[in-house]
Amino acid sequence: MNIKDLPEESLFTPGHTACAGCAAPAIVRNMMKIFGKDTIVYTPANCLLVFSGTYPHLAWKVPYLHEAFENTAACLSGIARAYKKKGKKVIAVGFAGDGGTYDIGIQALSGAAERNEDVIYVCYDNEAYMNTGIQRSGATPYGADTTTTPAGRKILGKLEHKKDMAEIMRAHEVPYVATMSISHQKDFIEKTKKAKEISGFRYLHVLSPCPTGWRFDPSKSIEMARKAVESGMWTLYEAEYGEITNIYKPKKKIPVEEYIKGQGRFRHLTPEMIKALQDWVDRKWKKLYGELPQ
Ligand SMILES: Cc1ncc(C[n+]2csc(CCOP(=O)(O)OP(=O)(O)O)c2C)c(N)n1
Ligand code: SF4
């Protein structure tokens, strides 16, 4: 099944104010088509909140709640438990950015995962704090130019590698962890459907290319997502109770240089820095596939 085969009716409507080419609305719209109308949505502070839920305008056709930046998983836990007590069957879904997940939300997230709350937590990962002005987060890749890791004479972008959040969630041994990309539609749909069917804590992690923060042409979002997977910068797998049950190996492996070359945030990278990024990908690849990339 492809995205065009999903139901026509959208629970996340057009008319929101996301930047042209932003991957986040496509991720949310298509997930919502699968989760369906008996869904309660929570978003913390992030781009999604700003472009779809700023009073008095709302792009959601389901009940929608926003509280604070750090408490997505805590609020989701409350929503799920309150509806259960009322005897109503709903799906409690949170859509948090990488800043709200890797950094400020990790405490509530880890707690809810450990308690095995019956919720779906989605991290749309655009690799920085975008709505507040492109500051670095724990998800920002090595070398990226952000407003808090500016590429200049003293430093050349972020000095640390991206934190492996999906692996942290896998270590919680929750019922379901899946990493996803909007470029791989069949995989995206199957994993979303599976998350809907399973009970207990489910963590979905989707790469969300951001033309504004990554500085690429807005027509190239899906291409960026695909190249992230093909280069190994982003890996696709599923894990159930901590065990990897399904892993996608790209048919065509491209050098990391090919992925980063169209993105302004990496424009200043020296050959040594590109090698450091490639080495990081190779280490990750070897850990996942048990071999070095060919
Ligand atoms: C406690 C707290 N600190 C800081 C902020 C300001 N703030 C709002 S959204 C945001 C960044 C969100 O980044 P991310 O979660 O990555 O989502 P994105 O904007 O990239 O979609 C920040 C720093 C806040 N709302 N609350
Ligand atoms: S800044 Fe990036 S993530 Fe935010 S709406 Fe624009 S393209 Fe999307």
Side-chain angles (χ1 to χ4, degrees):
M1 184 187 242
N2 277 323
I3 274 170
K4 63 174 170 32
D5 303 319
L6 289 174
E8 195 60 30
E9 197 203 349
S10 184
L11 299 165
F12 182 79
T13 63
H16 55 72
T17 54
C19 309
C22 178
I27 292 167
V28 170
R29 187 173 57 249
N30 291 305
M31 281 194 171
M32 286 304 296
K33 285 187 178 192
I34 294 168
F35 293 144
K37 61 177 177 14
D38 292 329
T39 301
I40 314 290
V41 169
Y42 179 86
T43 57
N46 54 34
C47 276
L48 177 62
L49 172 82
V50 173
F51 70 67
S52 75
T54 318
Y55 183 82
H57 305 289
L58 193 67
W60 299 86
K61 285 192 182 169
V62 294
Y64 174 83
L65 184 72
H66 160 69
E67 273 281 335
F69 189 24
E70 65 277 18
N71 60 10
T72 304
C75 288
L76 278 182
S77 308
I79 292 167
R81 284 175 183 232
Y83 274 92
K84 193 171 175 204
K85 194 142 183 113
K86 278 175 163 276
K88 286 196 180 169
K89 206 167 159 34
V90 298
I91 310 174
V93 179
F95 290 102
D98 49 287
T101 303
Y102 285 69
D103 302 338
I104 198 165
I106 194 170
Q107 183 184 10
L109 172 58
S110 177
E114 188 269 331
R115 294 190 307 275
N116 195 23
E117 299 285 350
D118 192 13
V119 302
I120 302 179
Y121 187 109
V122 183
C123 172
Y124 74 95
D125 184 355
N126 55 29
E127 302 191 321
Y129 294 65
M130 292 306 177
N131 84 95
T132 44
I134 320 175
Q135 296 94 14
R136 63 87 91 189
S137 79
T140 306
Y142 169 78
D145 177 26
T146 71
T147 50
T148 44
T149 57
R153 259 178 296 158
K154 289 220 168 132
I155 63 160
L156 285 172
K158 192 185 173 197
L159 302 175
E160 304 81 24
H161 286 289
K162 185 179 173 95
K163 190 199 280 188
D164 201 335
M165 195 64 212
E167 284 297 278
I168 292 171
M169 293 317 294
R170 187 158 81 87
H172 284 71
E173 299 186 4
V174 290
Y176 193 57
V177 170
T179 53
M180 302 152 77
S181 171
I182 193 74
S183 55
H184 291 63
Q185 298 185 11
K186 194 166 168 285
D187 184 79
F188 179 96
I189 292 169
E190 278 166 10
K191 286 171 175 169
T192 309
K193 281 188 168 166
K194 195 155 168 186
K196 184 182 177 183
E197 282 153 22
I198 292 172
S199 327
F201 198 88
R202 291 143 282 169
Y203 177 78
L204 305 181
H205 195 154
V206 196
L207 185 68
S208 186
C210 162
T212 308
W214 299 12
R215 303 206 299 282
F216 63 79
D217 188 288
S219 65
K220 300 216 181 306
S221 298
I222 303 297
E223 186 183 317
M224 284 303 156
R226 183 169 300 112
K227 283 186 172 170
V229 176
E230 286 173 349
S231 65
M233 278 290 280
W234 188 252
T235 42
L236 300 178
Y237 61 84
E238 290 177 290
E240 291 172 52
Y241 297 96
E243 292 291 327
I244 293 188
T245 49
N246 172 31
I247 182 159
Y248 174 83
K249 190 170 178 184
K251 283 182 200 73
K252 192 175 107 189
K253 171 85 172 62
I254 62 169
V256 88
E257 194 168 4
E258 203 174 312
Y259 166 62
I260 64 174
K261 76 177 173 205
Q263 300 177 36
R265 64 178 175 157
F266 293 118
R267 200 173 38 208
H268 56 281
L269 259 59
T270 61
E272 293 73 32
M273 292 177 81
I274 294 172
K275 184 173 179 313
L277 203 50
Q278 183 68 62
D279 287 349
W280 177 80
V281 167
D282 292 355
R283 283 197 299 278
K284 191 157 67 91
W285 187 281
K286 184 150 190 275
K287 200 167 82 181
L288 277 169
Y289 300 114
E291 59 182 51
L292 278 174
Q294 305 302 312

